[in-house]
């Protein structure tokens, strides 16, 4: 219900609200609210962080001969100075040590988070393109 003035016409605020609501921006806002874009993006980012960072640490430690660990990758990717790159490298274990300290529980947790991450991506795509939910085993 739009606010109206004494003459029964919609007020300036009501007309402005109606114009914004029917504009592409208003339709986009409603669509993003329907998709639950904010909570989904936060969940997606958290799962991505929990899954991708440990996976990259394990993958980067797979080549100990070249000595390129995750810290070195991250320092180069951030494009920081040499002194800052050394500090970033100190945050992460050396490549050989990462493989020695990885446990079966860690790999299992990584697999569970990886599957949850993939399921979140699939559910997001289904919601965006109005597809029916996939079967449980397809996730």
């Amino acid at each position: 219900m739009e606010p109206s003035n004494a003459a029964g016409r919609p007020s300036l605020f009501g007309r402005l609200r109606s114009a914004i609501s029917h504009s592409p921006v208003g339709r986009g806002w409603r669509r993003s609210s329907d998709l639950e874009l904010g909570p989904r993006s936060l969940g997606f980012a958290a799962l991505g962080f929990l899954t991708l960072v440990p996976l990259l640490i394990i993958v980067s430690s797979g080549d100990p001969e070249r000595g390129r660990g995750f810290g070195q990758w991250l320092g180069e990717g951030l494009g920081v100075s040499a002194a800052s790159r050394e500090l970033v490298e100190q945050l992460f274990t050396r490549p050989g040590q990462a493989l020695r300290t990885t446990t079966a529980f860690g790999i299992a947790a990584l697999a569970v988070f990886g599957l949850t991450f993939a399921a979140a991506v699939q559910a997001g795509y289904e919601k965006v393109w109005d597809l029916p939910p996939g079967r449980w085993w397809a996730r």
Side-chain angles (χ1 to χ4, degrees):
M1 177 122 196
E2 294 181 9
S4 55
N5 58 16
R9 294 187 329 226
S11 68
L12 177 64
F13 177 73
R15 289 190 310 259
L16 182 61
R17 193 173 106 189
S18 177
I20 291 173
S21 176
H22 290 80
S23 72
V25 172
R27 289 190 305 269
W29 182 264
R30 280 193 310 278
R31 178 70 175 153
S32 70
S33 296
D34 292 343
L35 293 175
E36 301 167 349
L37 202 54
R40 283 188 187 275
S41 63
L42 287 175
F44 184 74
L47 282 172
F49 187 74
L50 284 172
T51 303
L52 296 178
V53 170
L55 181 63
L56 287 174
I57 290 171
I58 297 300
V59 168
S60 68
S61 65
D63 187 16
E65 291 177 10
R66 296 179 66 191
R68 299 180 60 87
F70 182 70
Q72 190 173 359
W73 281 6
L74 186 60
E76 289 174 1
L78 292 173
V80 295
S81 67
S84 297
R85 188 176 303 146
E86 288 177 18
L87 292 173
V88 170
E89 289 176 18
Q90 290 175 4
L91 294 173
F92 300 96
T93 61
R94 297 282 175 223
Q97 187 180 4
L99 283 179
R100 284 192 304 272
T101 58
T102 302
T103 63
F105 175 75
I107 292 173
L110 183 59
V112 167
F113 283 122
L115 291 174
T116 307
F117 181 67
V121 170
Q122 181 177 346
Y125 284 151
E126 290 168 353
K127 190 94 169 165
V128 166
W129 284 297
D130 293 325
L131 298 172
R135 297 184 182 110
W136 67 270
W137 52 266
R139 294 182 187 259

